[in-house]
Amino acid sequence: MNGKIEKGPVCVFPLLGQSNMEGVGELAEFDNYQDERLLRIDPFDNAIEIAYEPLHRGKRNDRSSQCVGPGMPFGRGILDRRPDVKVALLNLAAGGTSLAQWSKGGTCYERAVEKIRAAKSHGCITGVLWHQGESDSVLPADAETYKDRFCQMLFDLRDSLGLPDLPIVAGQVGPFVETNTEWANGRGFPCAKIVNQQIMSLADDSERIGVISSEGTGDIGDGLHLDTKSQIMMGQRYAREMMRLAGI
């Protein structure tokens, strides 16, 4: 079954979503652990190297491409429990993107399919991490259809990759987003609670979809982005759920 770890392979995990998957936690608060078993796949040229933060290194010179996300803590969490494997992280997240952009035909979807196919040259595509939803928390029409649209996106992604059993773990947006009234051109995110409810219900319909709560997380002071401590917490939650879901 796709997603199972056998003896000593390189387990490739694509990281999809928006800025909280890119990572906005402060680097100064992270110990920048490195291990030859924890690898990074460069999305621009498919090169592989030992991973270190910032894991996401965008071409644009902005804050979200220079900081801590959940990927490295996730990889550490896997290796702590399975020291016999190697973990390769492919961060394809893009700040400010909507679920529509990650759906079939959208720019993020098409890029992800291309880059994940290329990453198969490095090992087994073992599972996907997903953290997105803030951009779909502004309008009721987006929030109330989030689950159905996500499931369609996942069906299409599995089909495009030829991996019908590919596990995916989705994380909730931070609880502080629900009370944020400053972003989105002053509209805030009035539907964030609905999106979080929809995310938590994803696992009801499939054994190959896992979800993790954002309960107890904090922001960097902007009411939108997870701080370093919270990114570490979320990464560890992703690791536990992925190991359960993929049978690792």
Side-chain angles (χ1 to χ4, degrees), residues 179-191:
T179 58
N180 186 326
T181 60
E182 300 298 325
W183 286 68
N185 296 321
R187 291 176 293 178
F189 302 93
C191 301

Side-chain angles (χ1 to χ4, degrees), residues 172-236:
Q172 286 186 310
V173 302
F176 41 82
V177 177
E178 298 178 8
T179 58
N180 186 326
T181 60
E182 300 298 325
W183 286 68
N185 296 321
R187 291 176 293 178
F189 302 93
C191 301
K193 186 173 182 178
I194 297 172
V195 168
N196 272 342
Q197 290 170 343
Q198 296 253 320
I199 290 172
M200 290 307 288
S201 69
L202 288 170
D204 294 346
D205 300 329
S206 173
E207 295 181 356
R208 308 299 287 171
I209 302 177
V211 295
I212 61 167
S213 168
S214 62
E215 182 180 358
T217 59
D219 65 291
I220 62 172
D222 64 356
L224 184 62
H225 295 107
L226 294 160
D227 60 22
T228 301
K229 180 180 178 180
S230 299
Q231 288 285 23
I232 294 170
M233 184 188 306
M234 291 294 282
Q236 293 168 344

Side-chain angles (χ1 to χ4, degrees), residues 128-163:
V128 172
L129 304 189
W130 175 262
H131 197 129
Q132 188 279 335
E134 294 89 348
S135 291
D136 289 83
S137 296
V138 180
L139 301 176
D142 293 330
E144 292 167 2
T145 60
Y146 192 91
K147 178 180 179 179
D148 289 343
R149 293 186 297 122
F150 177 91
C151 289
Q152 182 62 52
M153 178 276 293
L154 180 55
F155 175 86
D156 292 332
L157 182 64
R158 288 168 168 168
D159 183 63
S160 295
L161 296 174
L163 299 171

Side-chain angles (χ1 to χ4, degrees), residues 100-111 113 156 160:
Q101 290 172 276
W102 287 98
S103 298
K104 189 172 183 178
T107 54
C108 293
Y109 178 93
E110 300 302 329
R111 177 175 181 264
V113 169
D156 292 332
S160 295

Side-chain angles (χ1 to χ4, degrees), residues 13-17 21 70-71 74 127-131 168-170 238 242:
F13 294 96
L15 280 55
L16 311 182
M21 184 61 84
F74 164 80
V128 172
L129 304 189
W130 175 262
H131 197 129
I168 186 167
V169 178
Y238 274 117
M242 182 59 76

